[in-house]
Amino acid sequence: MNDTPARDRRLEAQKRATELRRQEARRARRRRSLIVAGVVVAVLVVAGTITAVVLHGKPSASVASSSSPSAGAAQWAAPADVESGVTAAGLQMLTAEGTALHIHQHLSVTVDGSPVVVPAELGIDVARQRISPIHTHDESGIIHVESPTVQTFTLGQVFDEWKQKLGPGQVGAYRDGSDGQTVTVFVDGKATAGDPRSIELTSHEDIDIVVAKKGTAVAAPPAFSWPAGY
């Protein structure tokens, strides 16, 4: 009896298992890196606070402000309910990163000259070990599209997962013309009109959203410098 099909199936199953273990190990390393970075930051903040108290009797303004998140930071935080955002984006959670389409974009949001942190682990449910085809791993602003199918993904889906508003002249709570604000969207350094939700995610694309006071000269940030391996 020819057992070649059975042997091929076993080999394929072994390959899939190996790939899943590799991806899980990579995600674990990323999570450990984030945890270590957070511990280092916390230690530095505490050390700065102690030094300020010893020298001046109270924390300096800069140390005190860095020890707690601002209202703006809380406004842009990653949502706790990952799956509902992924569902709103019209996507499904996966058990592993897809390989049919693997591209990256860089997203930045700037409000009155201050950068907004694009949260780490958008689209990733660490507790359930599930991941969206669109996700982030860190706070670099790099968007990862890792899909099991080749299809078109858009900026609107990123913001759906982030649970932030995005539309013509609007990002988050900011609207063009409201409270003397302007909202400008740049793609690869060029201002673009229309609905930013429909911007297609393409390889090594720079997407910059700039909120500024009316009358302020607005320009795209410098082009993102891509790390090796992307």
Side-chain angles (χ1 to χ4, degrees):
M1 181 179 295
N2 186 359
D3 64 349
T4 299
R7 184 169 60 252
D8 290 345
R9 287 194 295 272
R10 288 196 298 272
L11 289 173
E12 183 61 28
Q14 290 171 353
K15 289 180 181 178
R16 287 198 300 270
T18 300
E19 177 62 18
L20 287 173
R21 287 194 295 269
R22 183 188 66 80
Q23 292 177 354
E24 176 56 29
R26 184 171 62 178
R27 287 195 293 269
R29 286 194 298 270
R30 286 168 176 160
R31 288 196 295 271
R32 286 196 295 269
S33 297
L34 289 172
I35 291 170
V36 170
V39 170
V40 170
V41 170
V43 169
L44 290 175
V45 168
V46 170
T49 302
I50 293 172
T51 302
V53 170
V54 170
L55 293 178
H56 306 292
K58 62 180 180 179
S60 67
S62 60
V63 172
S65 63
S66 65
S67 63
S68 59
S70 66
Q75 171 189 344
W76 297 101
D81 185 353
V82 176
E83 188 164 358
S84 65
V86 174
T87 300
L91 302 173
Q92 293 183 338
M93 300 296 283
L94 309 173
T95 57
E97 295 159 323
T99 57
L101 179 64
H102 187 180
I103 56 176
H104 304 94
Q105 307 75 41
H106 183 260
L107 171 65
S108 77
V109 180
T110 307
V111 177
D112 294 334
S114 297
V116 169
V117 174
V118 178
E121 297 186 343
L122 280 178
I124 298 178
D125 190 331
V126 175
R128 297 181 62 238
Q129 292 293 288
R130 296 291 186 270
I131 189 168
S132 166
I134 302 176
H135 55 270
T136 65
H137 287 290
D138 52 35
E139 296 179 346
S140 65
I142 295 176
I143 308 298
H144 297 248
V145 176
E146 297 175 76
S147 170
T149 59
V150 178
Q151 63 186 87
T152 298
F153 295 94
T154 66
L155 185 62
Q157 291 174 300
V158 176
F159 277 78
D160 286 340
E161 289 189 354
W162 197 357
K163 295 191 176 181
Q164 295 290 340
K165 293 181 180 179
L166 182 70
Q170 181 172 16
V171 61
Y174 300 95
R175 293 186 64 88
D176 196 82
S178 177
D179 297 326
Q181 301 282 353
T182 62
V183 178
T184 309
V185 179
F186 297 90
V187 177
D188 293 332
K190 297 180 180 179
T192 181
D195 189 351
R197 290 186 57 83
S198 64
I199 294 173
E200 294 185 9
L201 302 180
T202 60
S203 183
H204 283 191
E205 182 179 39
D206 263 355
I207 303 172
D208 303 295
I209 303 177
V210 180
V211 179
K213 291 182 172 60
K214 188 175 181 180
T216 302
V218 178
F224 181 66
S225 180
W226 287 92
Y230 286 88

